[in-house]
Structures are given as C-alpha cells and as structure tokens.
Amino acid sequence: MSKVKVPVNQAYRLLNIGCVALLTAAHESQQSVMALAWHMPVSIKPPLVAIAVGLARFTAELIQKSGEFALNIPGYGLLSQTQYCGTVSSRQEDKFAGAKLAYQAGNKVKAPVISQCLAQVECRVVNQILAGDHYIFVGQVEDAAAEEEFFDGMWKITAEEKNLPFQHLGGTSYLLPGRKVTP
Ligand SMILES: Cc1cc2nc3c(=O)[nH]c(=O)nc-3n(C[C@H](O)[C@H](O)[C@H](O)COP(=O)(O)O)c2cc1C
C-alpha cells in the first residue's frame, strides 16, 4: 500500500467519521502508540485538530516533551492491535513490536507514522488545556496522507471491511460504518 498526500485543509475529512485513531509520539529514544477515540477537527484555516489524552498516559508525556503527535487511522483489519494499544502502556511494553506495527518518522514530525494504517495526520502542538483528568492538545496539521484506494477526498466506505475505519462504542465494542447517503 502507498499513501497519497491529502491537503492539510482537508485532513479533517480523515477524522470526520469519528473513527478510532492510533495516536503516536516520539521523543529522543522513546516512542509510544495508544488507541484514541476522543479527537475532533476544530479549525479548517489554519487546520487544527484537538485530542483528549489522559494525564497518566505515557503518550501524553511524549507529546509534552516533543510538541508533536500523529493520528494514524487503522482499518478494521487492525482491530485487535488497536485494542491491545488501548489496554497496555508503553511504560510496560514496546507496543510497536507487540502489535507488529511497521512505522517510520513522519514527513513533518518525528512521531511515528504506521505503514499498515489507512491514513495519517501529522500535527504540531499549538495549545494545551488541562480538562479534568485529560489534557486537550490542539495540533496544527502539518502533513496528511491516505491510501488512494480507500480515500478520494472522503472515505470510500465501499472498501472491504478490513480497510474501513471504525468507531469505538466503549469497552471492547466497536462499530463499522454503514451506507454513504446524500440528501
Ligand atoms: C478504543 C480505545 C479508545 C481509547 N481512547 C482514548 C482516548 O481518547 N483518550 C485517552 O486518554 N485514552 C484512550 N484510550 C485508552 C488508552 O489508549 C490506554 O490507556 C493506553 O494504554 C495508553 O497507553 P500509553 O500509556 O502507552 O500512552 C482508549 C482505549 C481504547 C481501547
């Protein structure tokens, strides 16, 4: 699979669907990946996204140290790997190895971008807000790319199941998108 560029001011369409992301960050020799359901686009110009990351997450520590993160969008074929990345901490295990995730540094950030994911959104932190037991990091989108086969300006939800982004209902329950409809 190879990814094509998505204009940064259209990167919100990768997230619009409310899909689960694999949030990555790196600082010096350390790196982390965790499942993330709480994200949303918050501005088109400049292109900004917000993510809510628990105070105790190792990934939050790396985002604070590096000022960068990447949102990688897994297809349903990566469901068990996503659940694993959302229940084990990088403080205990190398989750990239544990989930057999291939990765490289992003184009514009050092946060890892995951090869098997359908898309990625690379961000530089421009604001951080403490909200109860989570940090809200606001990131400016610096680069974005998606598998051409599955995204043509918006998700082609006709792709086979393993290549569909999916949503989190809670616990170990997830949701696959249904039909695309227009008014
Ligand atoms: C599907 C799913 C979605 C999750 N979404 C979030 C989220 O939006 N924010 C968050 O802080 N934790 C979320 N989690 C929990 C973290 O992924 C989990 O605590 C992870 O082990 C943190 O890893 P780390 O310590 O390596 O950063 C989610 C877990 C799952 C399974």
Side-chain angles (χ1 to χ4, degrees):
M1 298 207 293
S2 69
K3 292 170 188 154
V4 293
K5 290 273 179 199
V6 173
V8 291
N9 62 359
Q10 281 188 11
Y12 74 89
R13 288 193 172 172
L14 294 167
L15 306 173
N16 248 4
I17 194 168
C19 49
V20 175
L22 289 175
L23 171 68
T24 53
H27 178 67
E28 296 178 348
S29 61
Q30 296 181 304
Q31 59 189 17
S32 183
V33 52
M34 62 169 258
L36 181 101
W38 291 2
H39 61 69
M40 65 174 176
V42 290
S43 167
I44 297 172
K45 198 175 170 186
L48 302 176
V49 299
I51 58 172
V53 187
L55 304 187
R57 314 289 190 235
F58 183 63
T59 314
E61 201 177 308
L62 296 188
I63 293 172
Q64 286 183 313
K65 286 178 178 164
S66 65
E68 299 174 342
F69 62 87
L71 293 168
N72 299 267
I73 312 301
Y76 178 61
L78 290 177
L79 186 66
S80 58
Q81 292 89 332
T82 302
Q83 183 69 25
Y84 162 71
C85 290
T87 45
V88 170
S89 176
S90 298
R91 287 198 179 88
Q92 297 147 352
E93 284 179 30
D94 175 352
K95 290 189 263 184
F96 290 96
K100 295 191 170 59
L101 297 173
Y103 61 91
Q104 59 195 40
N107 285 319
K108 296 283 173 63
V109 301
K110 292 198 184 74
V113 297
I114 298 170
S115 314
Q116 298 103 314
C117 281
L118 306 172
Q120 70 244 1
V121 178
E122 300 179 24
C123 298
R124 178 175 50 82
V125 176
V126 294
N127 202 355
Q128 179 189 313
I129 299 149
L130 181 61
D133 56 7
H134 281 58
Y135 294 114
I136 297 174
F137 295 107
V138 179
Q140 172 142 357
V141 180
E142 300 290 345
D143 202 68
E147 290 294 339
E148 195 175 21
E149 204 183 332
F150 312 124
F151 184 88
D152 61 354
M154 63 184 74
W155 288 110
K156 295 186 197 177
I157 63 163
T158 48
E160 56 181 323
E161 278 189 353
K162 67 174 184 174
N163 293 317
L164 287 178
F166 54 90
Q167 296 157 343
H168 188 217
L169 292 176
T172 54
S173 296
Y174 294 84
L175 188 69
L176 277 172
R179 284 184 301 137
K180 193 192 290 186
V181 290
T182 49

